[in-house]
Amino acid sequence: MENQTTVPYLLLLEFSNNRHLQLLHFFFFFVLYLATVTTNLIIISAVAFDHRLHSPMYFFLTNLALQDMAIVSAIVPKSMINSLMNTRQISYFGCVTQFFFFLCFEASDFSLLTVMAYDRYVAICNPLHYEMVMNWKHCAKIILLVWVTGILYGTLHTSGTFSILFCSNVVNQFFCDIPQLLKLSCSGLNLLEVGILVASVIAVTGCFTFILVSYAVIFKTVLRIPSEKGRQKALSTCIPHLTVVFMFVLSGCIAILKPSSNTPSLLDIGLTVLYALLPPVFNPIIYSMRNKNIKYVISQLCRF
């Protein structure tokens, strides 16, 4: 194939030639997708229906739940359909679309996690200024900036990746993932894609450093709180967020930095599921387990 314009479709990873294993894969991904949508919808419903949760922190949490549902919706349904229909094909345009939306929502997700760290920093370290700094007008602007950042990142990365000449149409992954698409290049990376990758590393490192520094100051402040109840209340809103951040960053680093292989393996698939699909499932669970307000509202909703 001379260039990417002659590729009418790409071939995604086939989990197995065995029809029973294909159906098992479909069932596993269906349960995973259903669990992700259900748990995140519960979080959104809890925040929407209880006025006590109408605060910036839970507003950001609602947006995180929306982004998590969008991430799995971008990649899981196509993989499920392929297993059900016993095919590997995804159209070139479909691959571009899937790639764009996955990156868009992943970038928005991490940007929002950074914002949520700042929200907790202001709430705990500067409580007297919290209402002024994190008012609804500012929160709306922040969320708009988060989504715009994700769209811009997705657009640039998609443009850079799909401007590369492809020598093959076989993607050794169950969705159009960055590392696997870059392996299809005939002539290596172009300057645009190299620049985007470098900028991505710098941005992720900067955001992660900001989160770590913010929580270092937060925990230092929490230790000074004289009341044990006050310390527990502060930690109950911080620990879930920090857990989600570490799970997001650690799983992503493992998947990206692992030794590359020309043949797919169960380890490759498992790591991809770990960083792409499991965080959206566990994020609402982590928040609901540690947050008393969320747990109370969910228990009230379940009674109905």
Side-chain angles (χ1 to χ4, degrees), residues 18 20 37 39 51 74 81 92 98 124 126 128 134 140 148 154 160 164 167 182 190 196 200 207 250 263 266 277 295:
N18 186 294
H20 295 291
V37 173
T39 52
H51 69 278
I81 292 171
Y92 182 82
Q98 186 184 75
I124 295 173
N126 297 287
L128 298 179
M134 302 302 293
V148 169
I164 296 173
C167 288
L182 295 182
N190 55 32
I196 294 171
S200 301
C207 289
L250 184 61
T263 57
L266 289 176
L277 303 184
K295 284 197 293 186

Side-chain angles (χ1 to χ4, degrees), residues 82-146:
N82 279 6
S83 290
L84 193 62
M85 303 299 293
N86 191 23
T87 181
R88 298 174 57 189
Q89 291 188 13
I90 181 172
S91 67
Y92 182 82
F93 178 74
C95 185
V96 172
T97 304
Q98 186 184 75
F99 186 87
F100 166 75
F101 281 111
F102 178 72
L103 287 181
C104 173
F105 295 126
E106 281 281 337
S108 299
D109 217 49
F110 193 60
S111 299
L112 186 56
L113 290 174
T114 307
V115 170
M116 293 172 74
Y118 177 70
D119 173 74
R120 290 301 83 205
Y121 165 77
V122 177
I124 295 173
C125 300
N126 297 287
L128 298 179
H129 297 91
Y130 183 74
E131 291 187 4
M132 180 180 67
V133 175
M134 302 302 293
N135 58 55
W136 286 109
K137 184 178 180 179
H138 289 167
C139 288
K141 290 180 179 178
I142 289 171
I143 287 298
L144 180 61
L145 181 61
V146 164

Side-chain angles (χ1 to χ4, degrees), residues 57-58 120 124 229-241 286-287 289-293:
M57 182 180 74
Y58 297 107
R120 290 301 83 205
I124 295 173
K229 186 177 180 181
R231 289 196 297 269
Q232 290 178 349
K233 184 178 179 180
L235 290 175
S236 69
T237 63
C238 293
I239 292 179
H241 177 254
I286 292 170
Y287 276 107
M289 285 178 61
R290 293 289 307 181
N291 192 298
K292 292 181 180 179
N293 293 332

Side-chain angles (χ1 to χ4, degrees), residues 37-205:
V37 173
T38 302
T39 52
N40 282 286
L41 280 178
I42 288 173
I43 293 292
I44 295 172
S45 301
V47 174
F49 289 110
D50 196 292
H51 69 278
R52 289 167 297 182
L53 301 183
H54 293 176
S55 66
M57 182 180 74
Y58 297 107
F59 174 63
F60 294 141
L61 183 57
T62 299
N63 277 270
L64 184 68
L66 287 171
Q67 290 168 357
D68 285 341
M69 286 194 297
I71 288 172
V72 294
S73 296
I75 60 176
V76 171
K78 180 58 180 176
S79 183
M80 289 167 52
I81 292 171
N82 279 6
S83 290
L84 193 62
M85 303 299 293
N86 191 23
T87 181
R88 298 174 57 189
Q89 291 188 13
I90 181 172
S91 67
Y92 182 82
F93 178 74
C95 185
V96 172
T97 304
Q98 186 184 75
F99 186 87
F100 166 75
F101 281 111
F102 178 72
L103 287 181
C104 173
F105 295 126
E106 281 281 337
S108 299
D109 217 49
F110 193 60
S111 299
L112 186 56
L113 290 174
T114 307
V115 170
M116 293 172 74
Y118 177 70
D119 173 74
R120 290 301 83 205
Y121 165 77
V122 177
I124 295 173
C125 300
N126 297 287
L128 298 179
H129 297 91
Y130 183 74
E131 291 187 4
M132 180 180 67
V133 175
M134 302 302 293
N135 58 55
W136 286 109
K137 184 178 180 179
H138 289 167
C139 288
K141 290 180 179 178
I142 289 171
I143 287 298
L144 180 61
L145 181 61
V146 164
W147 285 100
V148 169
T149 300
I151 293 172
L152 181 62
Y153 179 78
T155 302
L156 290 174
H157 224 322
T158 303
S159 301
T161 300
F162 287 92
S163 64
I164 296 173
L165 303 181
F166 291 161
C167 288
S168 171
N169 69 340
V170 179
V171 182
N172 288 324
Q173 193 52 268
F174 64 88
F175 70 100
C176 293
D177 197 14
I178 297 175
Q180 297 301 329
L181 285 175
L182 295 182
K183 288 180 183 178
L184 306 183
S185 172
C186 298
S187 55
L189 305 182
N190 55 32
L191 290 177
L192 175 60
E193 184 62 15
V194 170
I196 294 171
L197 289 172
V198 172
S200 301
V201 172
I202 294 173
V204 170
T205 304

Side-chain angles (χ1 to χ4, degrees), residues 194-244:
V194 170
I196 294 171
L197 289 172
V198 172
S200 301
V201 172
I202 294 173
V204 170
T205 304
C207 289
F208 188 56
T209 302
F210 176 83
I211 293 171
L212 291 180
V213 172
S214 298
Y215 273 98
V217 177
I218 288 172
F219 287 132
K220 185 178 179 180
T221 304
V222 168
L223 293 175
R224 294 176 181 172
I225 298 176
S227 167
E228 183 178 351
K229 186 177 180 181
R231 289 196 297 269
Q232 290 178 349
K233 184 178 179 180
L235 290 175
S236 69
T237 63
C238 293
I239 292 179
H241 177 254
L242 199 56
T243 304
V244 168

